[in-house]
Amino acid sequence: AFFEATAIRKICVELPDECAESCGGHNVGLLKQSLYGTRDAAMNWQEEVAKEMGKRGFRRGTYNPCLYAHDEWKIQVFLHGDDFASVGSRTSLRRFLEKLESRFEIKTSVIGTGVGEVQEARVLNRILRITSNGWEYEPDQRHAEMIVEQLGLKEAKAVDTPTEEEKKWEAEEDAQELSPDRQRNFRSVAARCNYIAADRPDLMYAVKCICRQMAKPTVGAWKKLKRVGRYLVGKSRSILKYDWQGRETLVDGYTDSDWAGCVRTAKSTSGGILMIGGHMIKAWSKTQNSISLSSAEAELIAMVKLSTELLGLMSLARDLDCRLHGRVWADSSAALAIVKRSGAGKLRHINISLLWVQEQQKLKK
């Protein structure tokens, strides 16, 4: 796809020997089109697509420039590399497809319930499926099977949870580093776990704890990794269901934290999830950067993280011509009280940057 975009910078390349004869003996060529491997090839391709989409009346997203919306056709388009994913009515999508095919060579599948449409297809290796109840989203299950195979756990007994509570006396295992060969194997499997965890909320916390030890994998980290593998023996597939619901305009964000949950560092974890009605839009599990001096501070950090994600989703929705309102849910009365007041008050250990959320609350964001 990058070859479709005109090269903007003047870049010369050394030609292969077999090309020199047909080029009059010259062994250097000036690029007219973007070449894979050059720094601005991807950017040039994005701008080429933006130019073509602009000709067809699409409005480019300001928060995310990979999103496009057409006000008249009522089409929403997401671009990832050279993959287009479009949502709209059948008539509008057929019209868009004709315009797209007049410029690019593409292959298309339409997911729907009409004639000639498929009920299931892969988008960026994720499976999208339409049913009578709504939509289903399934991560690529091959990675779960490969993790189990790489860890040699095919015959292992499955466990019900991907992680277990850390014990203080197990900290000794984190002091024993793995051998170089096992370290390479650890990083390979952990990276694969990290890839599928983005689509599997049930794995996020466990995989986050594992990936924190990527630099210096230990015996304890290997034990945690095998625990995830044994969990995947029994739960290799995970399907997110998006059943039909009304047109919702409110995003509910739920957050919580475990104060000093990490036995080794005493750092807390921020957990959160964004829901539109009964639909999960995004979830996360992130170790906090600093050590919290109170549970209220840990909960406040988690609340600020949720607020930024919530405002980001609202901006993303505006690019798709949707107007959403946000609402934060937390179970810490102390953290909620801090948000509703002005300034830190008597809480001298609260970071000033966390009080940003007070302003957002007063502005009714």
Side-chain angles (χ1 to χ4, degrees):
F2 290 173
F3 295 133
E4 295 287 340
T6 305
I8 296 175
R9 289 188 300 136
K10 285 190 176 181
I11 306 175
C12 292
V13 292
E14 189 176 343
L15 299 175
D17 294 336
E18 59 268 24
C19 292
E21 295 179 11
S22 60
C23 295
H26 298 291
N27 61 353
V28 173
L30 176 68
L31 285 182
K32 292 185 175 181
Q33 302 300 115
S34 296
L35 181 69
Y36 283 79
T38 53
R39 290 180 182 177
D40 51 359
M43 182 190 70
N44 292 346
W45 160 248
Q46 291 281 355
E47 294 306 315
E48 180 67 21
V49 171
K51 184 176 70 176
E52 292 297 323
M53 297 291 276
K55 289 179 183 176
R56 273 92 182 151
F58 280 88
R59 176 172 41 81
R60 193 178 190 182
T62 52
Y63 180 80
N64 187 340
C66 296
L67 295 177
Y68 296 88
H70 201 294
D71 297 328
E72 182 185 346
W73 297 353
K74 303 297 181 186
I75 293 179
Q76 300 164 339
V77 180
F78 165 62
L79 178 68
H80 183 278
D82 60 350
D83 291 304
F84 288 84
S86 314
V87 179
S89 67
R90 290 182 176 86
T91 306
S92 296
L93 286 179
R94 274 196 295 269
R95 191 174 176 184
F96 175 48
L97 181 60
E98 290 172 4
K99 299 289 185 183
L100 210 57
E101 286 179 329
S102 67
R103 174 62 182 87
F104 302 117
E105 183 181 331
I106 59 175
K107 53 182 180 180
T108 310
S109 60
V110 180
I111 310 173
T113 54
V115 179
E117 297 170 352
V118 297
Q119 291 189 317
E120 177 181 302
R122 283 186 176 270
V123 179
L124 301 175
N125 286 330
R126 279 81 166 175
I127 298 171
L128 285 183
R129 186 184 300 112
I130 189 168
T131 68
S132 58
N133 295 325
W135 289 86
E136 293 181 355
Y137 176 96
E138 182 176 358
D140 192 347
Q141 69 267 24
R142 294 176 300 174
H143 290 285
E145 295 164 1
M146 291 166 76
I147 289 167
V148 172
E149 186 177 344
Q150 283 180 282
L151 293 172
L153 297 172
K154 279 190 172 182
E155 305 300 324
K157 183 180 177 181
V159 293
D160 293 329
T161 59
T163 186
E164 54 188 343
E165 188 178 352
E166 289 187 88
K167 311 293 191 302
K168 288 190 177 180
W169 57 83
E170 291 177 347
E172 296 177 4
E173 294 179 336
D174 284 327
Q176 305 172 38
E177 287 192 33
L178 297 173
S179 64
D181 286 343
R182 290 186 73 190
Q183 283 190 14
R184 280 193 292 272
N185 193 20
F186 173 89
R187 292 189 180 105
S188 173
V189 180
R192 198 178 293 280
C193 288
N194 196 36
Y195 176 78
I196 64 170
D199 297 320
R200 292 195 57 165
D202 56 330
L203 295 177
M204 284 180 178
Y205 177 77
V207 172
K208 182 267 298 184
C209 294
I210 291 167
C211 289
R212 287 180 66 200
Q213 295 179 266
M214 276 281 211
K216 291 183 179 179
T218 62
V219 173
W222 181 259
K223 184 179 175 183
K224 293 175 188 173
L225 188 61
K226 293 197 79 170
R227 174 82 185 193
V228 170
R230 289 174 60 200
Y231 174 76
L232 291 174
V233 169
K235 294 181 175 63
S236 61
R237 294 181 65 186
S238 171
I239 298 174
L240 296 172
K241 294 190 174 185
Y242 296 85
D243 292 341
W244 304 123
Q245 64 179 19
R247 185 174 289 277
E248 305 288 339
T249 58
L250 183 65
V251 187
D252 283 308
Y254 300 87
T255 183
D256 201 359
S257 73
D258 63 338
W259 181 37
C262 180
V263 172
R264 292 183 299 113
T265 63
K267 288 185 176 180
S268 310
T269 295
S270 298
I273 188 168
L274 298 179
M275 302 285 293
I276 298 181
H279 297 168
M280 191 209 82
I281 306 301
K282 186 175 182 179
W284 62 87
S285 179
K286 184 181 184 297
T287 302
Q288 296 179 1
N289 295 328
S290 57
I291 296 175
S292 300
L293 300 181
S294 67
S295 59
E297 183 181 6
E299 295 281 359
L300 182 61
I301 292 171
M303 200 184 294
V304 170
K305 166 67 175 170
L306 172 66
S307 300
T308 58
E309 295 286 351
L310 195 52
L311 290 171
L313 179 62
M314 290 158 63
S315 298
L316 194 73
R318 279 197 293 272
D319 285 349
L320 296 173
D321 204 23
C322 298
R323 294 292 182 269
L324 297 176
H325 306 283
R327 181 167 57 182
V328 172
W329 293 87
D331 63 352
S332 170
S333 56
L336 288 165
I338 293 169
V339 172
K340 291 177 181 178
R341 70 166 67 139
S342 293
K346 295 181 180 180
L347 297 169
R348 298 300 179 191
H349 65 278
I350 295 292
N351 194 325
I352 297 298
S353 64
L354 300 178
L355 302 181
W356 158 87
V357 76
Q358 292 179 346
E359 181 187 23
Q360 302 303 306
Q361 193 267 343
K362 285 183 174 59
L363 295 172
K364 305 299 181 185
K365 292 283 188 72

